[in-house]
Amino acid sequence: MNARPQATAKETDHTEAPSCRRSSRILAISPLLLAVLVLAAAARTGGAPCDKSDMAALLAVKSALGNPPALSGWNSTVDCCSWPYGISCDANSGRVTDLTVFGREISAPIPAAIANLTALRSINFAYNQLHGSIPAFLGPHELPDLTFLRLDGNRLTGPIPPTATVFNLLLVGNQLTGEIPETFADAVFGDVELSDNQLTGDASMLFGAKKQLNALFLSRNRFRFDLGRVELPEAMDILEIDGNMVYGSIPAEAAARKWLSFNVSYNQLCGPIPQGKYTHRFGPKHFAGNKCLCGRPLAPCT
């Protein structure tokens, strides 16, 4: 089963580093001395100094976000790989690999300058007040190393761009509309979380026996497809599709799965609930509100 980075992708506050609490005299230092300080900071952290183009992009991101107090440590007098919050770098290249601005109540569109951080592996902007649409550059075409994109708990609107084929895609709790892009049918996903939006249409292309998907969260949208016709991915151990318009039956293979989470309530499903050791772990609320599901833990089939 693929590991799910969500559990580790939480923001961490750090006390402002002493190197950031410098007097205004720092503005008067020579370019040569500044270069020496940057190299010294890299030596202290045991890695290469921050890539200059990445630093420029990060400062543009900060400006586009309205220069929030949470990012006060992002300044050009300190090597960006040593900034006290939100940045991780590759020790060998000095390229920025991880960008985190988590839970800071920042109200702004997603900054276009992120597209210039071409070595990014993960982006976590969860639980802010970001608005507007999800830019098309947030995907492997523009950011080839990106495998983790977390934008849940914002105010993003519009459709999911077809380029957002990131291995771990977390967009829960926005105001997204439209259907799942057709490009998702051939994409490789490990974790897809789209709950609590206003998405519609057919989500069955996310299923398939040979797919790597292990966690799928579609709850409380307006998806409509025949669950009885899908093949569950071999790695899947989390399926939450409650509160949609999914019809058909629960696949018989669900009985043999070691489910960590399973919820198909409040859809239009019918037929007997597959009986197995792990489906028995879930009570009536995980199956309630369907058209005619029956069998343990609901009423017996007649």
Side-chain angles (χ1 to χ4, degrees), residues 216-275:
L216 180 60
F217 297 81
L218 301 178
S219 304
R220 295 172 296 279
N221 280 284
R222 301 171 187 170
F223 291 119
R224 181 176 175 80
F225 60 93
D226 187 345
L227 185 63
R229 291 183 176 272
V230 306
E231 292 182 313
L232 299 177
E234 292 179 358
M236 180 175 282
D237 56 14
I238 295 175
L239 178 62
E240 297 194 5
I241 60 172
D242 49 298
N244 283 282
M245 296 181 285
V246 180
Y247 58 94
S249 58
I250 300 174
E253 61 193 289
R257 290 300 175 87
K258 297 181 178 180
W259 295 106
L260 298 178
S261 182
F262 187 85
N263 194 336
V264 297
S265 63
Y266 294 96
N267 281 288
Q268 299 174 7
L269 296 169
C270 271
I273 296 170
Q275 301 298 307

Side-chain angles (χ1 to χ4, degrees), residues 168-189:
N168 296 290
L169 181 65
L170 289 71
L171 304 177
V172 173
N174 283 283
Q175 301 167 27
L176 301 173
T177 55
E179 299 187 0
I180 292 178
E182 293 182 1
T183 53
F184 280 28
D186 297 321
V188 178
F189 291 111

Side-chain angles (χ1 to χ4, degrees), residues 182-203:
E182 293 182 1
T183 53
F184 280 28
D186 297 321
V188 178
F189 291 111
D191 184 353
V192 175
E193 304 193 13
L194 305 178
S195 299
D196 296 306
N197 281 286
Q198 301 168 29
L199 298 166
T200 58
D202 186 355

